[in-house]
Amino acid sequence: MPQRKNTKLKVAMLGHKRIPSREGGVEIVVGELATRMVASGHDVTCFNRGGHHVSGADFDEKALSEYKGVKLKRVFTVDLKGLAAMTSSFFASVKAAFGRFDVVHFHAEGPCAMLWLPKLFGKRCIATVHGLDHQRAKWGKLASLYIFAGEKCAVKFADEIIVLSENMQKYFDDTYSRKTVFIPNGVNKNTPVSAEEISEKFNLKKDGYILYLGRLVPEKGIHYLIDAFKGIDTDKKLVIAGGASDSTEYADDLKKSSCDNIVFTDFVKGRLLEELYSNAYLYVLPSDLEGMPLSLLEAMSYGNCCVTSDIYECESVVGEYGVTFKKGDVNDLKEKLEWLLSNPDIVEKYKSRSSDYVCNKFNWDEVTKKTLDLYYGEER
C-alpha cells in the first residue's frame, strides 16, 4: 500500500553489487539515492552482495555495516560468474519480504525475477531498469534467460517501473503495453584537479591523452576505439581506465591488441579517477548499448569534450554539447578524433560549455524527489 505523503519510509534496495562502490553505474545510483533519502529522514537498508570485487580480489574493501546513515546488510552469494547476481538477489529478496519495509526497490532486470516475493508479502515494489540487460554480450544463454524472466516479472508485479531513457519507455510500451516512468540519472558538480598521481604512475600530463573510463565489457565498444586510435598519427596517448566485469576474456583481448602509446590503468577510484577525468584532452564512449551512461555524465561534469556513439542513450545526454560518430563505424570514429585533435579551439569550446549544461539538466536531488514521489504512489 502507498504511504501518506511525508510519512517517513522504511526502504530496502537490492540488485546492486555493494555500496559504497564504483563497480558499475547501478552501484553509483543506489549510493546517491540511498544517502539522500537518509539525509531527508527516511530509513534505508541496502542489501550488499558477498564475494569479491567485480574486478578481482585485489580491489576488495572491508565490508561495512553502515554508510552515511544507510544500513548495509551483506547477503549470501555464490561468487561465480552468472550465479553471483542470481543468488545475492534471491537472498536479498527473501530478507526484504520478511523485513519491516514499506518499499522494496529492485535495481536492474535480473534481480526482478524475485520481485513477486516481497510483493506477495504486501510490500510496495519499485523496479529501476538501468538497461535492457538481456541484450548485453557478456551474458551466456542461461543468464540471459534469467534476466529476461526478471524483465517479465517486473512488468507483471512491480507497482512502478523506472526507466532511464525514453527509448526504454517506448520498448516497454511497445512490447508489453506497460507504462513506465522516465527518471534519468543525475550527476554531481565536480571540480577539476591537477595531474599529480597520474603523472607519477602513468606518465600522463594535462591534455596529453584521450580517455575511456568504464567497465571493460564488449557492449562498451572499446575495441572500436583502439582500432581507430591505432590509425591516427598523434603524440597523445590513449588511456583505457577500468576493470573487467565477471570475465577477463574481453579485457585480455583488448590488451593483446594494444600498442605502446595505449595505457591500461585497471580499476580506478578516488584521486586517480578525478585526475583522469580532469586532465583528458577528449573523453570517448564508443558504446553499442547503454542504459544511461553515468561515466559520460561524470566526464561532462568535469568539463570534458566528449565523443560518443550515436545511440539514443548517449545522444540524449550530450545533445549539442558533444560530438557523436556512427555506432560501430571505426572509420567515422577515426575521422572525428582526427578532426578534434587538429582543432583544439573546437575542443576548448565544448569543454567550456559541457559542465554547466550537464549539471543543470541532470540533478540527483531532483531524481531523489521524483523517486520518493513514486514510493508514495503519487499520481503521474
Side-chain angles (χ1 to χ4, degrees):
M1 286 286 292
Q3 299 294 307
R4 184 165 49 87
K5 184 71 185 283
N6 297 325
T7 302
K8 300 306 180 186
L9 299 172
K10 289 184 177 293
V11 179
M13 293 195 188
L14 62 97
H16 58 286
K17 297 178 183 73
R18 66 208 109 234
I19 68 163
S21 171
R22 292 191 59 90
E23 290 173 77
V26 175
E27 288 67 45
I28 296 171
V29 172
V30 172
E32 294 287 352
L33 289 176
T35 53
R36 280 172 168 77
M37 288 177 184
V38 166
S40 61
H42 301 285
D43 185 308
V44 182
T45 300
C46 289
F47 289 103
N48 282 355
R49 261 192 215 180
H52 294 299
H53 190 285
V54 70
S55 293
D58 290 345
F59 300 97
D60 285 350
E61 295 185 350
K62 182 180 178 182
L64 303 175
S65 59
E66 182 269 340
Y67 172 65
K68 293 185 178 180
V70 180
K71 298 171 186 174
L72 305 178
K73 303 291 184 183
R74 198 175 189 190
V75 295
F76 176 79
T77 305
V78 177
D79 196 22
L80 295 172
K81 181 185 177 182
L83 291 178
M86 291 186 202
T87 53
S88 60
S89 59
F90 171 81
F91 288 104
S93 297
V94 171
K95 287 179 177 290
F98 287 95
R100 299 183 65 180
F101 300 108
D102 302 308
V103 177
V104 182
H105 192 156
F106 285 74
H107 289 268
E109 288 189 320
C112 290
M114 289 299 298
L115 189 146
W116 60 272
L117 182 59
K119 184 66 182 172
L120 185 67
F121 281 78
K123 306 297 194 289
R124 182 166 174 79
C125 293
I126 309 295
T128 294
V129 177
H130 294 259
L132 301 177
D133 289 340
H134 58 272
Q135 297 178 358
R136 298 187 189 276
K138 69 176 181 176
W139 299 117
K141 186 175 182 180
L142 178 61
S144 294
L145 287 172
Y146 177 76
I147 291 166
F148 196 51
E151 177 177 296
K152 290 187 173 182
C153 192
V155 167
K156 185 172 182 179
F157 295 108
D159 291 285
E160 298 283 1
I161 298 175
I162 298 170
V163 294
L164 306 184
S165 76
E166 291 166 333
N167 250 16
M168 273 194 277
Q169 198 167 36
K170 185 176 186 302
Y171 168 81
F172 279 95
D173 196 12
D174 290 348
T175 307
Y176 303 104
S177 297
R178 172 69 200 243
K179 298 302 179 186
T180 58
V181 184
F182 170 48
I183 304 178
N185 287 328
V187 69
N188 296 313
K189 182 75 172 178
N190 288 296
T191 303
V193 297
S194 59
E196 296 172 9
E197 291 186 20
I198 60 170
S199 295
E200 295 174 11
K201 194 166 185 177
F202 304 114
N203 194 29
L204 299 174
K205 61 182 180 179
K206 183 170 178 57
D207 291 333
Y209 58 94
I210 296 167
L211 174 67
Y212 165 84
L213 194 151
R215 291 175 299 123
L216 306 190
V217 291
E219 64 266 19
K220 295 292 185 181
I222 309 160
H223 48 290
Y224 306 135
L225 176 56
I226 289 176
D227 288 347
F229 179 79
K230 287 164 70 175
I232 296 172
D233 182 15
T234 178
D235 59 356
K236 296 190 189 300
K237 296 180 180 180
L238 172 62
V239 175
I240 308 295
S245 179
D246 295 292
S247 169
T248 64
E249 183 179 351
Y250 179 68
D252 291 341
D253 287 344
L254 292 177
K255 291 171 185 177
K256 288 176 186 175
S257 68
S258 183
C259 58
D260 289 343
N261 55 345
I262 298 179
V263 178
F264 286 84
T265 70
D266 219 326
F267 178 79
V268 292
K269 62 178 182 177
R271 175 77 189 196
L272 269 178
L273 179 140
E274 293 171 10
E275 289 187 18
L276 285 170
Y277 273 138
S278 298
N279 297 285
Y281 182 75
L282 299 172
Y283 174 83
V284 184
L285 184 65
S287 300
D288 286 331
L289 178 70
E290 286 287 351
M292 185 180 186
L294 277 164
S295 60
L296 178 57
L297 293 171
E298 289 181 337
M300 294 186 78
S301 78
Y302 277 94
N304 275 290
C305 173
C306 294
V307 181
T308 76
S309 57
D310 62 356
I311 61 173
Y312 176 83
E313 289 76 10
C314 290
E315 277 193 318
S316 62
V317 171
V318 298
E320 61 186 49
Y321 297 87
V323 176
T324 63
F325 70 95
K326 186 176 179 181
K327 181 188 82 170
D329 190 329
V330 173
N331 286 332
D332 192 30
L333 174 55
K334 176 176 174 288
E335 288 173 7
K336 295 291 170 57
L337 293 177
E338 287 177 326
W339 174 60
L340 291 168
L341 287 165
S342 301
N343 292 278
D345 54 325
I346 294 175
V347 171
E348 193 55 41
K349 180 182 176 182
Y350 282 115
K351 286 187 172 187
S352 67
R353 301 161 59 198
S354 61
S355 182
D356 286 344
Y357 156 74
V358 80
C359 292
N360 288 332
K361 185 173 181 180
F362 303 100
N363 182 281
W364 275 124
D365 290 333
E366 184 65 23
V367 171
T368 304
K369 179 185 180 300
K370 289 180 178 179
T371 304
L372 284 169
D373 286 345
L374 283 191
Y375 288 0
Y376 287 117
E378 290 204 340
E379 291 187 10
R380 296 177 271 119

